[in-house]
Amino acid sequence: MSIILGAFQTMNPNGTVGVSWRHPENTSLEYLTIDYWTRLAKQLEGGGFDFLFFADSYGYPTDANGNTIAQGLIDATNIPMADPITLVAAVAAATTTLGIVVTSSTQVERAPAVARRYGTLDHLTKGRVGWNVVTGAAQAASAALFGEPMMPHDERYAQAEDHVSICLKLWEGSWEPGALIADKELGVYADPTRVHQIEHNGKYLSAKGVYGIPPGPQRSPFILQAGTSGAGREFAATYAEMVFIGGGDTDKIAEQIADIRARLEANGRGRNAIKFVVGAHFIVGTDVADAARKRADMLALATLEQAATTYTWLTGIDLTVFPQDEPLPDLHTEMGQSALDRYLNPATGVRKTPRMILEEFRSNGINGTVFEGDAVTVADDIETFLARVDADGFLVQPHITPGTYDDFIGLLVPELRRRGLLADPSSEGTLRSRLFPGGGDHLPDNHLGSSFRVAGPAAGA
Ligand SMILES: Cc1cc2nc3c(=O)[nH]c(=O)nc-3n(C[C@H](O)[C@H](O)[C@H](O)COP(=O)(O)O)c2cc1C
């Protein structure tokens, strides 16, 4: 078995625990320069990572009245957040095999624009681009910024089905294989009889027209999803090829993955049609004491206040207003439900108190799952964990850049290779064909997107 490795980043100077931009060794204040990202991308590619992932959201921490939480700005918690799609071409130019995955929200973007943007990037990256489809974290602030009411949670996923269907129709159903002629002698660029108009008449979104560019190497970019509410799981089982799972309670993670695998089978896609990648934090030291020292360093920059801001950003719920030592009451949110569910209904059945949740957020950040120790200890723990939850790999969530990756690549990767847990670092090809070896460059025939094809299996542009 080969472990899939992705790196989690946002275009924000913090990592995923505390106020890490203040750490003396962190170079992350350079996050608005191209060099910072191309340097990191080369390090990841050389270090055996499959892809670099940019999370993104227009939502920033706001209180119940929609006002900016001042501490958010002071700490740089999810604000600032620059637009990572702008980096993809630069990262692609600096690398040759690394996948590049970027989040775009179905609430914020318009489907034909997303289709053309990721379709263009599929060419520019030579088939290495992936789209993380989200209905959006911190939706209240995001909707307000765009001057719209916040759409209720499950409705956002219903709208997302229209959104992704339009994209898939444009990618799969507009340009037939062979429609691109580009023959100077003949004087024909594209064969108009083989470029079709797509039509989508949905409850929320409609579209009619042709796709503006010939399809790229993957035709549809590799499709990912993050968000494990009930509606999110069903959406994943229809559209996703990879799902990001938030860390935390091991039984809960195992339950989420088993449930989505069952839904995949019910949808006729087969239980292995999705790769499951768990967001986790790794503190690897030269020995156990070195790792413990690094963690203590990290926690010195993590406060309960910042933990509360992050939790509010994710769920819209301010944990500081509840009695701190009583189990949380039943709560509901129309924002992100995964982070709420993680604590209200853990598989253990134990309801946590606000203090416990905030302390957990303070020490683990959004990671939930933390692996700490020397390389052998962490590699042992990784093997046990993956077998227990039936996942395929990790999204490595940083604290210090490049420090987290220096340790991961310098100390842990050699141990993983020694155990045969990492694939050949030099393998080239599209992101899809690397993550599903032998599966080809395009969506498999049992994916909904394939049903939109006009003339047999898409063999290329
Ligand atoms: C590893 C990981 C990465 C995520 N990345 C994003 C992201 O980039 N943008 C975003 O809006 N939500 C992201 N999410 C999902 C949100 O946390 C949130 O769960 C989701 O947007 C709301 O859907 P839900 O109610 O189904 O959880 C990510 C989740 C995980 C576990």
Side-chain angles (χ1 to χ4, degrees):
M1 175 198 162
S2 175
I3 296 177
I4 295 173
L5 286 182
F8 177 103
Q9 290 286 333
T10 53
M11 265 189 102
N12 166 283
N14 274 318
T16 48
V17 180
V19 190
S20 68
W21 63 265
R22 294 182 57 208
H23 193 287
E25 288 162 28
N26 207 343
T27 61
S28 63
L29 286 176
E30 294 171 36
Y31 76 104
L32 290 172
T33 68
I34 287 180
D35 282 357
Y36 174 78
W37 295 107
T38 52
R39 217 165 43 230
L40 175 64
K42 285 180 189 164
Q43 179 184 23
L44 295 171
E45 183 170 85
F49 276 68
D50 295 293
F51 63 93
L52 167 56
F53 164 57
F54 289 103
D56 191 29
S57 173
Y58 278 91
Y60 53 88
T62 49
D63 64 19
N65 300 318
N67 296 318
T68 316
I69 297 176
Q71 197 65 36
L73 277 163
I74 292 167
D75 292 337
T77 301
N78 297 109
I79 183 167
M81 187 76 78
D83 185 345
I85 202 86
T86 56
L87 289 173
V88 178
V91 168
T95 52
T96 53
T97 60
L98 190 72
I100 310 157
V101 176
V102 184
T103 296
S104 286
S105 160
T106 51
Q107 283 288 295
V108 164
E109 306 287 351
R110 299 189 71 180
V114 168
R116 192 175 67 137
R117 190 172 307 131
Y118 280 80
T120 306
L121 288 172
D122 198 40
H123 285 283
L124 299 183
T125 62
K126 297 198 171 77
R128 291 189 281 141
V129 74
W131 173 25
N132 179 34
V133 185
V134 298
T135 54
Q139 197 50 46
S142 177
L145 182 67
F146 284 85
E148 294 163 358
M150 183 172 80
M151 196 180 266
H153 181 275
D154 287 6
E155 214 177 327
R156 292 203 292 275
Y157 277 106
Q159 189 261 15
E161 296 202 10
D162 274 344
H163 185 112
V164 179
S165 294
I166 290 170
C167 291
L168 288 170
K169 285 181 180 180
L170 288 166
W171 288 322
E172 300 291 332
S174 187
W175 290 59
E176 271 182 45
L180 177 65
I181 310 289
D183 186 322
K184 289 188 179 179
E185 280 294 299
L186 209 59
V188 175
Y189 183 74
D191 177 352
T193 66
R194 299 170 97 176
V195 178
H196 305 280
Q197 184 157 286
I198 66 103
E199 195 163 348
H200 184 84
N201 296 302
K203 181 171 173 202
Y204 299 94
L205 302 170
S206 297
K208 188 174 179 178
V210 298
Y211 184 42
I213 49 169
Q218 299 184 106
R219 203 166 252 271
S220 291
F222 190 68
I223 299 173
L224 303 91
Q225 192 265 357
T228 41
S229 58
R233 295 176 193 198
E234 196 51 40
F235 182 85
T238 305
Y239 298 100
E241 301 173 88
M242 177 178 283
V243 167
F244 292 149
I245 303 278
D249 185 82
T250 310
D251 291 335
K252 185 82 199 163
I253 296 170
E255 180 274 316
Q256 288 172 342
I257 294 175
D259 179 65
I260 298 175
R261 288 199 194 278
R263 289 173 195 252
L264 277 171
E265 274 183 327
N267 286 351
R269 293 181 62 199
R271 56 189 288 104
N272 296 321
I274 287 180
K275 299 289 185 191
F276 291 91
V277 171
V278 180
H281 192 54
F282 294 85
I283 306 166
V284 192
T286 47
D287 54 30
V288 170
D290 183 42
R293 184 190 52 75
K294 283 178 178 153
R295 189 168 202 186
D297 254 21
M298 180 176 97
L299 292 183
L301 292 169
T303 62
L304 286 175
E305 247 177 327
Q306 201 243 355
T309 310
T310 307
Y311 194 85
T312 304
W313 177 79
L314 277 169
T315 62
I317 291 167
D318 179 0
L319 285 179
T320 62
V321 303
F322 296 94
Q324 293 299 291
D325 295 311
E326 287 173 25
L328 263 186
D330 276 336
L331 291 169
H332 175 78
T333 180
E334 289 298 327
M335 285 177 54
Q337 291 182 353
S338 303
L340 189 61
D341 194 37
R342 184 165 140 193
Y343 296 103
L344 279 183
N345 305 303
T348 55
V350 178
R351 224 9 111 99
K352 295 188 178 172
T353 65
R355 194 185 306 282
M356 289 158 79
I357 298 171
L358 287 176
E359 187 47 52
E360 205 170 312
F361 251 76
R362 186 185 85 85
S363 53
N364 298 347
I366 60 165
N367 312 288
T369 298
V370 179
F371 295 91
E372 179 192 327
D374 60 15
V376 170
T377 314
V378 171
D380 284 348
D381 290 349
I382 282 178
E383 289 198 68
T384 310
F385 176 86
L386 288 179
R388 167 72 190 93
V389 303
D390 194 16
D392 301 284
F394 293 102
L395 202 48
V396 177
Q397 301 188 311
H399 176 54
I400 300 167
T401 305
T404 298
Y405 302 111
D406 289 344
D407 292 342
F408 193 95
I409 292 167
L411 300 172
L412 184 60
V413 163
E415 179 62 23
L416 296 177
R417 284 209 192 292
R418 203 182 60 71
R419 299 179 184 209
L421 293 174
L422 284 187
D424 173 8
S426 63
S427 61
E428 295 199 3
T430 60
L431 182 56
R432 179 173 288 114
S433 70
R434 292 192 63 193
L435 294 173
F436 285 91
D441 296 326
H442 300 150
L443 284 173
D445 290 343
N446 61 6
H447 189 283
L448 178 74
S450 300
S451 67
F452 299 139
R453 290 175 187 155
V454 271

